[in-house]
């Protein structure tokens, strides 16, 4: 009974609101995480078009996905450690810059080797940026705001895989694999 009376007499806890700088920071971090996660699946739908456009062999075509995934997964721990040493924000920005430049290079590829190298560079950029996204959320948001930020982050990350397959089909059909 006393705990119910205490709860009834306690002032209500204000709901945490993501506004201002916090909302902008969350939007940037989550948008970049969405971009990184989309890249893992969006390319899969475009593989037949890429094979035709660049003349990949059937066995060579698997390297379009594998080059990214091997670099990303293999270097992610290193990316987290780099963030610990030189700073998470700096590592995040460098990772996004590498990822973006490699994405441009991949879009301009005129042969299988170029695209495969660009995909590996994208994986490197993602391996630098991805560990920093979660670290930046945990360090920049506290208490109820942290819970909200992590729920938004988790929802976006989880839905990115499905969204990548859908967007891959739409973009490849409407425009091109590039």
């Amino acid at each position: 009974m006393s705990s119910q009376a205490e709860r009834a007499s306690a002032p209500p806890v204000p709901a945490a609101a993501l506004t201002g700088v916090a909302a902008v920071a969350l939007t940037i971090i989550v948008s970049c995480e969405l971009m990184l996660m989309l890249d893992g699946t969006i390319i899969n739908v475009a593989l037949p078009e890429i094979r035709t456009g660049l003349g990949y062999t059937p066995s060579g075509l698997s390297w379009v996905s594998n080059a990214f995934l091997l670099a990303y997964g293999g270097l992610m721990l290193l990316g987290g450690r780099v963030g610990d040493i030189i700073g998470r924000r700096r590592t995040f920005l460098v990772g996004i810059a590498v990822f973006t430049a490699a994405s441009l290079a991949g879009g301009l590829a005129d042969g299988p080797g170029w695209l495969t190298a660009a995909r590996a560079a994208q994986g490197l950029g993602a391996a630098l940026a991805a560990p920093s996204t979660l670290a930046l959320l945990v360090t920049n948001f506290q208490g109820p705001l942290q819970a909200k930020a992590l729920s938004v982050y988790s929802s976006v990350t989880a839905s990115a895989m499905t969204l990548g397959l859908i967007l891959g089909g739409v973009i490849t059909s409407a425009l091109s694999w590039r």
Side-chain angles (χ1 to χ4, degrees), residues 1-145:
M1 281 284 207
S2 64
S3 64
Q4 287 178 341
E6 288 172 7
R7 277 186 259 146
S9 65
V13 177
L18 289 167
T19 59
V21 175
V24 171
L26 180 62
T27 301
I28 291 169
I29 292 168
V30 169
S31 296
C32 291
E33 179 67 13
L34 175 66
M35 179 179 64
L36 298 175
M37 292 297 104
L38 281 175
D39 198 68
T41 58
I42 202 167
I43 197 91
N44 291 334
V45 177
L47 288 175
E49 295 290 326
I50 292 170
R51 180 177 179 210
T52 303
L54 294 181
Y56 271 95
T57 64
S59 61
L61 188 62
S62 67
W63 283 102
V64 175
S65 295
N66 291 342
F68 173 80
L69 294 172
L70 285 170
Y72 180 43
L75 298 172
M76 191 178 294
L77 287 174
L78 178 63
R81 184 65 181 138
V82 169
D84 292 340
I85 293 170
I86 69 168
R88 292 173 181 99
R89 183 173 176 254
R90 182 179 294 157
T91 304
F92 174 76
L93 294 173
V94 168
I96 294 300
V98 169
F99 183 87
T100 302
S103 296
L104 178 61
L108 298 173
D110 64 354
W114 186 351
L115 181 59
T116 302
R119 293 287 293 161
Q122 279 182 312
L124 169 64
L128 289 170
S132 296
T133 59
L134 192 54
L136 287 169
L137 282 180
V138 170
T139 57
N140 288 310
F141 297 93
Q142 303 301 317
L145 284 179

